[in-house]
Amino acid sequence: MLTIEEAAEQWPQDQGLALFDTLRAKWSEVPGGLSDRVLTDDVLALSDRELRDFWQGVLAETTTGPGFAVRGWYHAFYSDIFRGRRVLEIGSGMGIDGIHFIREGAIWHFTDIAPSNLSLIRRTLVAFNLHCEGMTLIESLASLDTIREGFDFIYCQGSLIHVPFAFARVETLSISRKIRPGGRWIELGYPRERWIREGRLSFNEWGRRTDGEATPWVEWYD
């Protein structure tokens, strides 16, 4: 397995294919609450009823009570802003954010590097009788070419922070072509203050601190 740095260095020859392959080994693992992490392949094995209950449980735990400071605050803040607008999400995970905002009236396009994540989102949408505008598997930066333009918002919740900044810049420039004039880019990540507080670790070490032992890379963003 290549390191993140080695995989990123293969850009632009491979359009990011090696980097996304390296990341894919980790990011079919998603938060299953405030402290748990689950593999989306395992969640896919649940029945429809179990899946609905699991999804609702993760949503409640991460948005109410102590979870309001984790996910609830931005669900409350952006629900009205996204209503009736086209949103392209980069790195959708198990779809907690996107499905919530669809329920609140957003027009959503999911993307992810892990096929099992998108399969889980598709099943969850069916289980709740919801629909999305589209869904795209990111195998390389060339995958972005298949997504039509004109989005009101680009939305990244803790996704681009998991690649070296030089590559994130390239990816950002590719994604930004999808936003309409006057649209907005919204990116949520870890601040520099947290990185300092936790000891200014190397970004591969810090990834293990923030997102679990198998996390290969995390950078702070200001």
Side-chain angles (χ1 to χ4, degrees), residues 30-38 54 57-59 61-62 70-71 94 96:
V30 296
L34 291 179
S35 56
D36 294 336
R37 298 182 184 279
V38 296
F54 173 77
V58 174
L59 177 69
E61 185 175 338
T62 57
V70 177
R71 198 188 293 267
M94 65 174 284
I96 291 292

Side-chain angles (χ1 to χ4, degrees), residues 11-58:
W11 161 264
Q13 291 82 2
D14 73 342
Q15 288 287 301
L17 186 64
L19 180 58
F20 292 133
D21 278 345
T22 301
L23 292 167
R24 198 168 286 119
K26 158 68 178 177
W27 292 115
S28 60
E29 179 186 83
V30 296
L34 291 179
S35 56
D36 294 336
R37 298 182 184 279
V38 296
L39 296 175
T40 46
D41 273 328
D42 292 341
V43 182
L44 279 166
L46 299 175
S47 68
D48 284 350
R49 180 176 178 177
E50 291 170 331
L51 175 57
R52 285 193 297 268
D53 290 346
F54 173 77
W55 193 93
Q56 294 279 37
V58 174

Side-chain angles (χ1 to χ4, degrees), residues 93-143:
M94 65 174 284
I96 291 292
D97 290 347
I99 292 173
H100 164 77
F101 289 124
I102 287 173
R103 283 173 149 181
E104 296 295 317
I107 304 164
W108 210 263
H109 191 115
F110 296 95
T111 73
D112 206 90
I113 62 173
S116 60
N117 293 357
L118 295 179
S119 295
L120 179 56
I121 291 170
R122 192 175 293 110
R123 266 202 65 199
T124 307
L125 288 169
V126 171
F128 286 117
N129 195 28
L130 298 170
H131 304 278
C132 67
E133 178 186 281
M135 198 173 290
T136 300
L137 176 65
I138 304 298
E139 298 179 288
S140 73
L141 293 184
S143 302

Side-chain angles (χ1 to χ4, degrees), residues 106-220:
I107 304 164
W108 210 263
H109 191 115
F110 296 95
T111 73
D112 206 90
I113 62 173
S116 60
N117 293 357
L118 295 179
S119 295
L120 179 56
I121 291 170
R122 192 175 293 110
R123 266 202 65 199
T124 307
L125 288 169
V126 171
F128 286 117
N129 195 28
L130 298 170
H131 304 278
C132 67
E133 178 186 281
M135 198 173 290
T136 300
L137 176 65
I138 304 298
E139 298 179 288
S140 73
L141 293 184
S143 302
L144 298 169
D145 296 338
T146 65
I147 302 172
R148 67 189 183 97
E149 300 177 359
F151 286 91
D152 299 295
F153 294 93
I154 306 296
Y155 177 74
C156 309
Q157 204 283 63
S159 51
L160 295 181
I161 62 174
H162 293 289
V163 298
F165 186 82
F167 185 84
R169 179 180 182 277
V170 172
E171 189 173 2
T172 296
L173 290 171
S174 297
I175 297 166
S176 65
R177 296 197 299 267
K178 303 301 177 180
I179 198 166
R180 65 167 178 78
R184 293 174 59 191
W185 183 291
I186 295 171
E187 185 157 350
L188 305 176
Y190 301 129
R192 185 171 185 268
E193 291 80 2
R194 176 174 175 178
W195 176 70
I196 293 171
R197 185 173 67 247
E198 295 182 348
R200 301 174 184 263
L201 300 173
S202 65
F203 292 139
N204 53 357
E205 292 179 289
W206 199 41
R208 293 192 288 273
R209 172 72 66 85
T210 60
D211 288 81
E213 190 60 33
T215 308
W217 192 269
V218 166
E219 296 191 13
W220 56 266

Side-chain angles (χ1 to χ4, degrees), residues 86-100:
R86 293 183 65 224
V87 183
L88 173 62
E89 181 180 17
I90 306 300
S92 300
M94 65 174 284
I96 291 292
D97 290 347
I99 292 173
H100 164 77

